[in-house]
Amino acid sequence: MIKTIREQQEAQEQVVLSPYACLSSRSRGRMNEEEHCHLRTAFQRDRDRIIHSKTFRRLKHKTQVFLAPAGDHYRTRLTHVLEVSQIARTMAVCLRLNEYLTEAIALGHDLGHTPFGHAGEFSLNQLHPRGFKHYRQSLRIVDFLENGGHGLNLTWEVRNGILKHSKGYGEILPGDTAELAATLEGQLVRVADIMAYVNHDMDDALRGGMLANEDLPAHLRAILGDRSSQRINAMVGDLVATTLERNDGRLHLSGRMNDTINELRSFLYDNVYRNYRVHNEFEKAQRIIRDLYGFFLEHEPPENGLGACCRASQPVQTPEEERRRHRQVCDFIAGMTDRYALALYSQIFIPKPWSVL
């Protein structure tokens, strides 16, 4: 019997990949059953669905750290997920894990991020009665909001990796496995996420004149190097070497590298993320989110984008209607790009000069 190209790839995975890898043929499946593709594995299809989604395209105009950056070389949320994907895929290949699963999780992990980065997330978490976390919103997008409300119908493994990628200010690789994705591929994305952002945020801060290279403590530079490429290579090399040495079905960083990454993260919190210039813009962004949220609790979102009239909503009558209204407003604002939020805010709240023709 002639095998399809997909079946040949699945057979090759069983020969080539590590015993700890997640095989495409053994996926737990999708929320809604589908016919198999004769060309692509399940995880390849998930990657492609994410890349072709509208939400993914909007990431190019969402903030990473510097709000609505004017320069062309600062990172955005889109370049962040691409860098996470590259780092995670490199480690996946070295460890003989499933590169396609790793890539799909990496590309989808930040779909739920708000405009204005963590400033937007912080505000929505205060405003929405049930709180807001970008990783939960990412899952909501791929499950329900994308594709005209039908979702992307991704595999369980990709959805699990998206939900479990975030660590906040917590441990990089916690001992409690309940905090981690069920697959090593999902756990790789968690580690690649921090490797990417501590390096590119450092790079952007240097470009923006907030830091000089010599500001980084000498002992960190001795371990990691002076350039972004050296730092990433040191981190990736340590994880790969330490994990292969342990060979116990878990990911590992050496104690020295784990402490180094944590110290670099603390350095960035103290000198970049909490810098008065960043914090001042953070507060302005929060004000924009709060004002838009309050406005759209009372008005319908514009159906045709900027310039469209926002008509008043019907008053809510029941707790269920109120819950639904908050959910609608939260989804609408979370999906905005920085520039759309700024333009909509200006349209609604900034007076227009009066002119007589």
Side-chain angles (χ1 to χ4, degrees), residues 66-90:
F66 298 97
L67 306 188
D72 292 334
H73 298 143
Y74 289 95
R75 268 66 171 201
T76 65
R77 191 62 60 178
L78 179 61
T79 60
H80 166 69
V81 300
L82 294 175
E83 291 184 35
V84 172
S85 174
Q86 177 268 319
I87 293 170
R89 286 169 56 208
T90 296

mmCIF file with all atom_site columns, all heavy atoms in Angstrom, residues 66-90:
data_model
loop_
_atom_site.group_PDB
_atom_site.id
_atom_site.type_symbol
_atom_site.label_atom_id
_atom_site.label_alt_id
_atom_site.label_comp_id
_atom_site.label_asym_id
_atom_site.label_entity_id
_atom_site.label_seq_id
_atom_site.pdbx_PDB_ins_code
_atom_site.Cartn_x
_atom_site.Cartn_y
_atom_site.Cartn_z
_atom_site.occupancy
_atom_site.B_iso_or_equiv
_atom_site.pdbx_formal_charge
_atom_site.auth_seq_id
_atom_site.auth_comp_id
_atom_site.auth_asym_id
_atom_site.auth_atom_id
_atom_site.pdbx_PDB_model_num
ATOM 1   N N   . PHE A 1 66 ? 8.698  48.907 24.053 1.00 0.00 ? 66 PHE A N   1
ATOM 2   C CA  . PHE A 1 66 ? 8.591  50.332 23.742 1.00 0.00 ? 66 PHE A CA  1
ATOM 3   C C   . PHE A 1 66 ? 7.294  50.575 22.984 1.00 0.00 ? 66 PHE A C   1
ATOM 4   O O   . PHE A 1 66 ? 7.080  50.025 21.898 1.00 0.00 ? 66 PHE A O   1
ATOM 5   C CB  . PHE A 1 66 ? 9.809  50.785 22.935 1.00 0.00 ? 66 PHE A CB  1
ATOM 6   C CG  . PHE A 1 66 ? 11.095 50.606 23.707 1.00 0.00 ? 66 PHE A CG  1
ATOM 7   C CD1 . PHE A 1 66 ? 11.888 49.487 23.515 1.00 0.00 ? 66 PHE A CD1 1
ATOM 8   C CD2 . PHE A 1 66 ? 11.485 51.543 24.649 1.00 0.00 ? 66 PHE A CD2 1
ATOM 9   C CE1 . PHE A 1 66 ? 13.060 49.311 24.239 1.00 0.00 ? 66 PHE A CE1 1
ATOM 10  C CE2 . PHE A 1 66 ? 12.650 51.381 25.377 1.00 0.00 ? 66 PHE A CE2 1
ATOM 11  C CZ  . PHE A 1 66 ? 13.437 50.267 25.171 1.00 0.00 ? 66 PHE A CZ  1
ATOM 12  N N   . LEU A 1 67 ? 6.421  51.403 23.545 1.00 0.00 ? 67 LEU A N   1
ATOM 13  C CA  . LEU A 1 67 ? 5.069  51.570 23.027 1.00 0.00 ? 67 LEU A CA  1
ATOM 14  C C   . LEU A 1 67 ? 5.074  52.282 21.682 1.00 0.00 ? 67 LEU A C   1
ATOM 15  O O   . LEU A 1 67 ? 5.713  53.319 21.512 1.00 0.00 ? 67 LEU A O   1
ATOM 16  C CB  . LEU A 1 67 ? 4.210  52.362 24.017 1.00 0.00 ? 67 LEU A CB  1
ATOM 17  C CG  . LEU A 1 67 ? 4.141  51.827 25.451 1.00 0.00 ? 67 LEU A CG  1
ATOM 18  C CD1 . LEU A 1 67 ? 3.105  52.608 26.244 1.00 0.00 ? 67 LEU A CD1 1
ATOM 19  C CD2 . LEU A 1 67 ? 3.808  50.348 25.474 1.00 0.00 ? 67 LEU A CD2 1
ATOM 20  N N   . ALA A 1 68 ? 4.352  51.679 20.706 1.00 0.00 ? 68 ALA A N   1
ATOM 21  C CA  . ALA A 1 68 ? 4.199  52.256 19.369 1.00 0.00 ? 68 ALA A CA  1
ATOM 22  C C   . ALA A 1 68 ? 5.516  52.841 18.872 1.00 0.00 ? 68 ALA A C   1
ATOM 23  O O   . ALA A 1 68 ? 5.619  54.030 18.559 1.00 0.00 ? 68 ALA A O   1
ATOM 24  C CB  . ALA A 1 68 ? 3.108  53.329 19.379 1.00 0.00 ? 68 ALA A CB  1
ATOM 25  N N   . PRO A 1 69 ? 6.580  52.025 18.783 1.00 0.00 ? 69 PRO A N   1
ATOM 26  C CA  . PRO A 1 69 ? 7.903  52.583 18.460 1.00 0.00 ? 69 PRO A CA  1
ATOM 27  C C   . PRO A 1 69 ? 7.925  53.232 17.086 1.00 0.00 ? 69 PRO A C   1
ATOM 28  O O   . PRO A 1 69 ? 7.374  52.713 16.111 1.00 0.00 ? 69 PRO A O   1
ATOM 29  C CB  . PRO A 1 69 ? 8.811  51.346 18.516 1.00 0.00 ? 69 PRO A CB  1
ATOM 30  C CG  . PRO A 1 69 ? 7.914  50.185 18.272 1.00 0.00 ? 69 PRO A CG  1
ATOM 31  C CD  . PRO A 1 69 ? 6.599  50.566 18.880 1.00 0.00 ? 69 PRO A CD  1
ATOM 32  N N   . ALA A 1 70 ? 8.606  54.388 17.010 1.00 0.00 ? 70 ALA A N   1
ATOM 33  C CA  . ALA A 1 70 ? 8.707  55.103 15.743 1.00 0.00 ? 70 ALA A CA  1
ATOM 34  C C   . ALA A 1 70 ? 9.828  54.534 14.881 1.00 0.00 ? 70 ALA A C   1
ATOM 35  O O   . ALA A 1 70 ? 9.776  54.597 13.652 1.00 0.00 ? 70 ALA A O   1
ATOM 36  C CB  . ALA A 1 70 ? 8.941  56.591 16.008 1.00 0.00 ? 70 ALA A CB  1
ATOM 37  N N   . GLY A 1 71 ? 10.865 53.994 15.513 1.00 0.00 ? 71 GLY A N   1
ATOM 38  C CA  . GLY A 1 71 ? 11.981 53.437 14.754 1.00 0.00 ? 71 GLY A CA  1
ATOM 39  C C   . GLY A 1 71 ? 11.629 52.109 14.102 1.00 0.00 ? 71 GLY A C   1
ATOM 40  O O   . GLY A 1 71 ? 10.804 51.347 14.603 1.00 0.00 ? 71 GLY A O   1
ATOM 41  N N   . ASP A 1 72 ? 12.279 51.831 12.980 1.00 0.00 ? 72 ASP A N   1
ATOM 42  C CA  . ASP A 1 72 ? 11.984 50.608 12.228 1.00 0.00 ? 72 ASP A CA  1
ATOM 43  C C   . ASP A 1 72 ? 12.660 49.372 12.797 1.00 0.00 ? 72 ASP A C   1
ATOM 44  O O   . ASP A 1 72 ? 12.356 48.251 12.380 1.00 0.00 ? 72 ASP A O   1
ATOM 45  C CB  . ASP A 1 72 ? 12.421 50.775 10.760 1.00 0.00 ? 72 ASP A CB  1
ATOM 46  C CG  . ASP A 1 72 ? 11.573 51.784 10.010 1.00 0.00 ? 72 ASP A CG  1
ATOM 47  O OD1 . ASP A 1 72 ? 10.415 51.977 10.405 1.00 0.00 ? 72 ASP A OD1 1
ATOM 48  O OD2 . ASP A 1 72 ? 12.083 52.374 9.040  1.00 0.00 ? 72 ASP A OD2 1
ATOM 49  N N   . HIS A 1 73 ? 13.607 49.538 13.718 1.00 0.00 ? 73 HIS A N   1
ATOM 50  C CA  . HIS A 1 73 ? 14.414 48.406 14.155 1.00 0.00 ? 73 HIS A CA  1
ATOM 51  C C   . HIS A 1 73 ? 14.065 47.881 15.542 1.00 0.00 ? 73 HIS A C   1
ATOM 52  O O   . HIS A 1 73 ? 14.672 46.926 16.015 1.00 0.00 ? 73 HIS A O   1
ATOM 53  C CB  . HIS A 1 73 ? 15.908 48.787 14.111 1.00 0.00 ? 73 HIS A CB  1
ATOM 54  C CG  . HIS A 1 73 ? 16.379 49.117 12.730 1.00 0.00 ? 73 HIS A CG  1
ATOM 55  N ND1 . HIS A 1 73 ? 17.293 50.117 12.460 1.00 0.00 ? 73 HIS A ND1 1
ATOM 56  C CD2 . HIS A 1 73 ? 16.036 48.603 11.530 1.00 0.00 ? 73 HIS A CD2 1
ATOM 57  C CE1 . HIS A 1 73 ? 17.512 50.191 11.164 1.00 0.00 ? 73 HIS A CE1 1
ATOM 58  N NE2 . HIS A 1 73 ? 16.755 49.293 10.575 1.00 0.00 ? 73 HIS A NE2 1
ATOM 59  N N   . TYR A 1 74 ? 13.098 48.501 16.192 1.00 0.00 ? 74 TYR A N   1
ATOM 60  C CA  . TYR A 1 74 ? 12.665 47.994 17.492 1.00 0.00 ? 74 TYR A CA  1
ATOM 61  C C   . TYR A 1 74 ? 11.784 46.761 17.310 1.00 0.00 ? 74 TYR A C   1
ATOM 62  O O   . TYR A 1 74 ? 11.062 46.639 16.325 1.00 0.00 ? 74 TYR A O   1
ATOM 63  C CB  . TYR A 1 74 ? 11.889 49.071 18.262 1.00 0.00 ? 74 TYR A CB  1
ATOM 64  C CG  . TYR A 1 74 ? 12.752 50.200 18.751 1.00 0.00 ? 74 TYR A CG  1
ATOM 65  C CD1 . TYR A 1 74 ? 12.876 51.368 18.004 1.00 0.00 ? 74 TYR A CD1 1
ATOM 66  C CD2 . TYR A 1 74 ? 13.458 50.098 19.941 1.00 0.00 ? 74 TYR A CD2 1
ATOM 67  C CE1 . TYR A 1 74 ? 13.686 52.416 18.444 1.00 0.00 ? 74 TYR A CE1 1
ATOM 68  C CE2 . TYR A 1 74 ? 14.264 51.138 20.387 1.00 0.00 ? 74 TYR A CE2 1
ATOM 69  C CZ  . TYR A 1 74 ? 14.372 52.288 19.631 1.00 0.00 ? 74 TYR A CZ  1
ATOM 70  O OH  . TYR A 1 74 ? 15.176 53.322 20.059 1.00 0.00 ? 74 TYR A OH  1
ATOM 71  N N   . ARG A 1 75 ? 11.840 45.870 18.304 1.00 0.00 ? 75 ARG A N   1
ATOM 72  C CA  . ARG A 1 75 ? 11.024 44.661 18.232 1.00 0.00 ? 75 ARG A CA  1
ATOM 73  C C   . ARG A 1 75 ? 9.550  44.983 18.407 1.00 0.00 ? 75 ARG A C   1
ATOM 74  O O   . ARG A 1 75 ? 9.189  45.918 19.114 1.00 0.00 ? 75 ARG A O   1
ATOM 75  C CB  . ARG A 1 75 ? 11.436 43.666 19.323 1.00 0.00 ? 75 ARG A CB  1
ATOM 76  C CG  . ARG A 1 75 ? 12.486 42.663 18.921 1.00 0.00 ? 75 ARG A CG  1
ATOM 77  C CD  . ARG A 1 75 ? 13.803 43.294 18.630 1.00 0.00 ? 75 ARG A CD  1
ATOM 78  N NE  . ARG A 1 75 ? 14.859 42.306 18.437 1.00 0.00 ? 75 ARG A NE  1
ATOM 79  C CZ  . ARG A 1 75 ? 16.152 42.589 18.571 1.00 0.00 ? 75 ARG A CZ  1
ATOM 80  N NH1 . ARG A 1 75 ? 16.538 43.808 18.880 1.00 0.00 ? 75 ARG A NH1 1
ATOM 81  N NH2 . ARG A 1 75 ? 17.049 41.651 18.374 1.00 0.00 ? 75 ARG A NH2 1
ATOM 82  N N   . THR A 1 76 ? 8.724  44.206 17.751 1.00 0.00 ? 76 THR A N   1
ATOM 83  C CA  . THR A 1 76 ? 7.289  44.221 17.964 1.00 0.00 ? 76 THR A CA  1
ATOM 84  C C   . THR A 1 76 ? 6.903  42.838 18.467 1.00 0.00 ? 76 THR A C   1
ATOM 85  O O   . THR A 1 76 ? 7.742  41.929 18.559 1.00 0.00 ? 76 THR A O   1
ATOM 86  C CB  . THR A 1 76 ? 6.520  44.536 16.676 1.00 0.00 ? 76 THR A CB  1
ATOM 87  O OG1 . THR A 1 76 ? 6.735  43.464 15.740 1.00 0.00 ? 76 THR A OG1 1
ATOM 88  C CG2 . THR A 1 76 ? 6.980  45.863 16.070 1.00 0.00 ? 76 THR A CG2 1
ATOM 89  N N   . ARG A 1 77 ? 5.613  42.656 18.752 1.00 0.00 ? 77 ARG A N   1
ATOM 90  C CA  . ARG A 1 77 ? 5.169  41.347 19.213 1.00 0.00 ? 77 ARG A CA  1
ATOM 91  C C   . ARG A 1 77 ? 5.389  40.289 18.122 1.00 0.00 ? 77 ARG A C   1
ATOM 92  O O   . ARG A 1 77 ? 5.662  39.127 18.414 1.00 0.00 ? 77 ARG A O   1
ATOM 93  C CB  . ARG A 1 77 ? 3.699  41.421 19.610 1.00 0.00 ? 77 ARG A CB  1
ATOM 94  C CG  . ARG A 1 77 ? 3.178  40.216 20.335 1.00 0.00 ? 77 ARG A CG  1
ATOM 95  C CD  . ARG A 1 77 ? 3.872  39.964 21.645 1.00 0.00 ? 77 ARG A CD  1
ATOM 96  N NE  . ARG A 1 77 ? 3.760  41.041 22.607 1.00 0.00 ? 77 ARG A NE  1
ATOM 97  C CZ  . ARG A 1 77 ? 4.274  40.992 23.832 1.00 0.00 ? 77 ARG A CZ  1
ATOM 98  N NH1 . ARG A 1 77 ? 4.933  39.916 24.228 1.00 0.00 ? 77 ARG A NH1 1
ATOM 99  N NH2 . ARG A 1 77 ? 4.140  42.007 24.657 1.00 0.00 ? 77 ARG A NH2 1
ATOM 100 N N   . LEU A 1 78 ? 5.298  40.688 16.850 1.00 0.00 ? 78 LEU A N   1
ATOM 101 C CA  . LEU A 1 78 ? 5.511  39.732 15.759 1.00 0.00 ? 78 LEU A CA  1
ATOM 102 C C   . LEU A 1 78 ? 6.960  39.285 15.687 1.00 0.00 ? 78 LEU A C   1
ATOM 103 O O   . LEU A 1 78 ? 7.242  38.085 15.588 1.00 0.00 ? 78 LEU A O   1
ATOM 104 C CB  . LEU A 1 78 ? 5.088  40.349 14.422 1.00 0.00 ? 78 LEU A CB  1
ATOM 105 C CG  . LEU A 1 78 ? 5.283  39.441 13.197 1.00 0.00 ? 78 LEU A CG  1
ATOM 106 C CD1 . LEU A 1 78 ? 4.458  38.167 13.319 1.00 0.00 ? 78 LEU A CD1 1
ATOM 107 C CD2 . LEU A 1 78 ? 4.921  40.185 11.912 1.00 0.00 ? 78 LEU A CD2 1
ATOM 108 N N   . THR A 1 79 ? 7.896  40.237 15.722 1.00 0.00 ? 79 THR A N   1
ATOM 109 C CA  . THR A 1 79 ? 9.299  39.821 15.659 1.00 0.00 ? 79 THR A CA  1
ATOM 110 C C   . THR A 1 79 ? 9.674  39.008 16.893 1.00 0.00 ? 79 THR A C   1
ATOM 111 O O   . THR A 1 79 ? 10.516 38.113 16.821 1.00 0.00 ? 79 THR A O   1
ATOM 112 C CB  . THR A 1 79 ? 10.238 41.041 15.526 1.00 0.00 ? 79 THR A CB  1
ATOM 113 O OG1 . THR A 1 79 ? 10.067 41.912 16.648 1.00 0.00 ? 79 THR A OG1 1
ATOM 114 C CG2 . THR A 1 79 ? 9.946  41.811 14.238 1.00 0.00 ? 79 THR A CG2 1
ATOM 115 N N   . HIS A 1 80 ? 9.032  39.309 18.029 1.00 0.00 ? 80 HIS A N   1
ATOM 116 C CA  . HIS A 1 80 ? 9.288  38.512 19.237 1.00 0.00 ? 80 HIS A CA  1
ATOM 117 C C   . HIS A 1 80 ? 8.933  37.047 19.012 1.00 0.00 ? 80 HIS A C   1
ATOM 118 O O   . HIS A 1 80 ? 9.734  36.152 19.294 1.00 0.00 ? 80 HIS A O   1
ATOM 119 C CB  . HIS A 1 80 ? 8.497  39.068 20.417 1.00 0.00 ? 80 HIS A CB  1
ATOM 120 C CG  . HIS A 1 80 ? 8.441  38.134 21.591 1.00 0.00 ? 80 HIS A CG  1
ATOM 121 N ND1 . HIS A 1 80 ? 9.540  37.838 22.370 1.00 0.00 ? 80 HIS A ND1 1
ATOM 122 C CD2 . HIS A 1 80 ? 7.411  37.398 22.102 1.00 0.00 ? 80 HIS A CD2 1
ATOM 123 C CE1 . HIS A 1 80 ? 9.195  36.976 23.317 1.00 0.00 ? 80 HIS A CE1 1
ATOM 124 N NE2 . HIS A 1 80 ? 7.909  36.692 23.172 1.00 0.00 ? 80 HIS A NE2 1
ATOM 125 N N   . VAL A 1 81 ? 7.724  36.771 18.488 1.00 0.00 ? 81 VAL A N   1
ATOM 126 C CA  . VAL A 1 81 ? 7.336  35.363 18.332 1.00 0.00 ? 81 VAL A CA  1
ATOM 127 C C   . VAL A 1 81 ? 8.204  34.675 17.289 1.00 0.00 ? 81 VAL A C   1
ATOM 128 O O   . VAL A 1 81 ? 8.469  33.464 17.395 1.00 0.00 ? 81 VAL A O   1
ATOM 129 C CB  . VAL A 1 81 ? 5.835  35.202 18.004 1.00 0.00 ? 81 VAL A CB  1
ATOM 130 C CG1 . VAL A 1 81 ? 4.970  35.790 19.094 1.00 0.00 ? 81 VAL A CG1 1
ATOM 131 C CG2 . VAL A 1 81 ? 5.463  35.783 16.658 1.00 0.00 ? 81 VAL A CG2 1
ATOM 132 N N   . LEU A 1 82 ? 8.687  35.419 16.284 1.00 0.00 ? 82 LEU A N   1
ATOM 133 C CA  . LEU A 1 82 ? 9.582  34.817 15.297 1.00 0.00 ? 82 LEU A CA  1
ATOM 134 C C   . LEU A 1 82 ? 10.925 34.461 15.933 1.00 0.00 ? 82 LEU A C   1
ATOM 135 O O   . LEU A 1 82 ? 11.503 33.404 15.637 1.00 0.00 ? 82 LEU A O   1
ATOM 136 C CB  . LEU A 1 82 ? 9.789  35.769 14.115 1.00 0.00 ? 82 LEU A CB  1
ATOM 137 C CG  . LEU A 1 82 ? 8.559  36.043 13.252 1.00 0.00 ? 82 LEU A CG  1
ATOM 138 C CD1 . LEU A 1 82 ? 8.871  37.093 12.182 1.00 0.00 ? 82 LEU A CD1 1
ATOM 139 C CD2 . LEU A 1 82 ? 8.042  34.763 12.603 1.00 0.00 ? 82 LEU A CD2 1
ATOM 140 N N   . GLU A 1 83 ? 11.415 35.321 16.818 1.00 0.00 ? 83 GLU A N   1
ATOM 141 C CA  . GLU A 1 83 ? 12.674 35.020 17.499 1.00 0.00 ? 83 GLU A CA  1
ATOM 142 C C   . GLU A 1 83 ? 12.511 33.856 18.476 1.00 0.00 ? 83 GLU A C   1
ATOM 143 O O   . GLU A 1 83 ? 13.395 33.004 18.593 1.00 0.00 ? 83 GLU A O   1
ATOM 144 C CB  . GLU A 1 83 ? 13.199 36.272 18.208 1.00 0.00 ? 83 GLU A CB  1
ATOM 145 C CG  . GLU A 1 83 ? 13.663 37.349 17.237 1.00 0.00 ? 83 GLU A CG  1
ATOM 146 C CD  . GLU A 1 83 ? 14.274 38.568 17.921 1.00 0.00 ? 83 GLU A CD  1
ATOM 147 O OE1 . GLU A 1 83 ? 14.940 38.397 18.969 1.00 0.00 ? 83 GLU A OE1 1
ATOM 148 O OE2 . GLU A 1 83 ? 14.105 39.684 17.405 1.00 0.00 ? 83 GLU A OE2 1
ATOM 149 N N   . VAL A 1 84 ? 11.383 33.821 19.168 1.00 0.00 ? 84 VAL A N   1
ATOM 150 C CA  . VAL A 1 84 ? 11.109 32.677 20.049 1.00 0.00 ? 84 VAL A CA  1
ATOM 151 C C   . VAL A 1 84 ? 11.074 31.393 19.231 1.00 0.00 ? 84 VAL A C   1
ATOM 152 O O   . VAL A 1 84 ? 11.650 30.369 19.621 1.00 0.00 ? 84 VAL A O   1
ATOM 153 C CB  . VAL A 1 84 ? 9.771  32.868 20.797 1.00 0.00 ? 84 VAL A CB  1
ATOM 154 C CG1 . VAL A 1 84 ? 9.390  31.596 21.563 1.00 0.00 ? 84 VAL A CG1 1
ATOM 155 C CG2 . VAL A 1 84 ? 9.854  34.036 21.769 1.00 0.00 ? 84 VAL A CG2 1
ATOM 156 N N   . SER A 1 85 ? 10.406 31.437 18.083 1.00 0.00 ? 85 SER A N   1
ATOM 157 C CA  . SER A 1 85 ? 10.302 30.258 17.226 1.00 0.00 ? 85 SER A CA  1
ATOM 158 C C   . SER A 1 85 ? 11.677 29.778 16.775 1.00 0.00 ? 85 SER A C   1
ATOM 159 O O   . SER A 1 85 ? 11.985 28.582 16.804 1.00 0.00 ? 85 SER A O   1
ATOM 160 C CB  . SER A 1 85 ? 9.425  30.584 16.013 1.00 0.00 ? 85 SER A CB  1
ATOM 161 O OG  . SER A 1 85 ? 9.403  29.511 15.098 1.00 0.00 ? 85 SER A OG  1
ATOM 162 N N   . GLN A 1 86 ? 12.533 30.714 16.360 1.00 0.00 ? 86 GLN A N   1
ATOM 163 C CA  . GLN A 1 86 ? 13.865 30.333 15.881 1.00 0.00 ? 86 GLN A CA  1
ATOM 164 C C   . GLN A 1 86 ? 14.684 29.679 16.984 1.00 0.00 ? 86 GLN A C   1
ATOM 165 O O   . GLN A 1 86 ? 15.328 28.641 16.779 1.00 0.00 ? 86 GLN A O   1
ATOM 166 C CB  . GLN A 1 86 ? 14.575 31.577 15.332 1.00 0.00 ? 86 GLN A CB  1
ATOM 167 C CG  . GLN A 1 86 ? 16.013 31.329 14.862 1.00 0.00 ? 86 GLN A CG  1
ATOM 168 C CD  . GLN A 1 86 ? 17.027 31.571 15.963 1.00 0.00 ? 86 GLN A CD  1
ATOM 169 O OE1 . GLN A 1 86 ? 16.911 32.529 16.734 1.00 0.00 ? 86 GLN A OE1 1
ATOM 170 N NE2 . GLN A 1 86 ? 18.005 30.699 16.065 1.00 0.00 ? 86 GLN A NE2 1
ATOM 171 N N   . ILE A 1 87 ? 14.660 30.278 18.185 1.00 0.00 ? 87 ILE A N   1
ATOM 172 C CA  . ILE A 1 87 ? 15.436 29.729 19.297 1.00 0.00 ? 87 ILE A CA  1
ATOM 173 C C   . ILE A 1 87 ? 14.890 28.359 19.704 1.00 0.00 ? 87 ILE A C   1
ATOM 174 O O   . ILE A 1 87 ? 15.655 27.395 19.919 1.00 0.00 ? 87 ILE A O   1
ATOM 175 C CB  . ILE A 1 87 ? 15.408 30.706 20.492 1.00 0.00 ? 87 ILE A CB  1
ATOM 176 C CG1 . ILE A 1 87 ? 16.170 31.987 20.143 1.00 0.00 ? 87 ILE A CG1 1
ATOM 177 C CG2 . ILE A 1 87 ? 15.994 30.057 21.746 1.00 0.00 ? 87 ILE A CG2 1
ATOM 178 C CD1 . ILE A 1 87 ? 16.001 33.111 21.157 1.00 0.00 ? 87 ILE A CD1 1
ATOM 179 N N   . ALA A 1 88 ? 13.582 28.258 19.814 1.00 0.00 ? 88 ALA A N   1
ATOM 180 C CA  . ALA A 1 88 ? 12.970 26.995 20.236 1.00 0.00 ? 88 ALA A CA  1
ATOM 181 C C   . ALA A 1 88 ? 13.209 25.886 19.206 1.00 0.00 ? 88 ALA A C   1
ATOM 182 O O   . ALA A 1 88 ? 13.470 24.738 19.569 1.00 0.00 ? 88 ALA A O   1
ATOM 183 C CB  . ALA A 1 88 ? 11.468 27.196 20.458 1.00 0.00 ? 88 ALA A CB  1
ATOM 184 N N   . ARG A 1 89 ? 13.102 26.219 17.932 1.00 0.00 ? 89 ARG A N   1
ATOM 185 C CA  . ARG A 1 89 ? 13.316 25.205 16.890 1.00 0.00 ? 89 ARG A CA  1
ATOM 186 C C   . ARG A 1 89 ? 14.757 24.718 16.888 1.00 0.00 ? 89 ARG A C   1
ATOM 187 O O   . ARG A 1 89 ? 15.023 23.527 16.676 1.00 0.00 ? 89 ARG A O   1
ATOM 188 C CB  . ARG A 1 89 ? 12.948 25.783 15.526 1.00 0.00 ? 89 ARG A CB  1
ATOM 189 C CG  . ARG A 1 89 ? 11.443 25.929 15.308 1.00 0.00 ? 89 ARG A CG  1
ATOM 190 C CD  . ARG A 1 89 ? 11.144 26.745 14.064 1.00 0.00 ? 89 ARG A CD  1
ATOM 191 N NE  . ARG A 1 89 ? 11.785 26.172 12.890 1.00 0.00 ? 89 ARG A NE  1
ATOM 192 C CZ  . ARG A 1 89 ? 12.162 26.887 11.828 1.00 0.00 ? 89 ARG A CZ  1
ATOM 193 N NH1 . ARG A 1 89 ? 11.981 28.191 11.814 1.00 0.00 ? 89 ARG A NH1 1
ATOM 194 N NH2 . ARG A 1 89 ? 12.699 26.279 10.789 1.00 0.00 ? 89 ARG A NH2 1
ATOM 195 N N   . THR A 1 90 ? 15.708 25.624 17.111 1.00 0.00 ? 90 THR A N   1
ATOM 196 C CA  . THR A 1 90 ? 17.112 25.211 17.180 1.00 0.00 ? 90 THR A CA  1
ATOM 197 C C   . THR A 1 90 ? 17.312 24.189 18.288 1.00 0.00 ? 90 THR A C   1
ATOM 198 O O   . THR A 1 90 ? 17.961 23.147 18.094 1.00 0.00 ? 90 THR A O   1
ATOM 199 C CB  . THR A 1 90 ? 18.019 26.436 17.418 1.00 0.00 ? 90 THR A CB  1
ATOM 200 O OG1 . THR A 1 90 ? 17.924 27.322 16.295 1.00 0.00 ? 90 THR A OG1 1
ATOM 201 C CG2 . THR A 1 90 ? 19.475 26.021 17.614 1.00 0.00 ? 90 THR A CG2 1
#
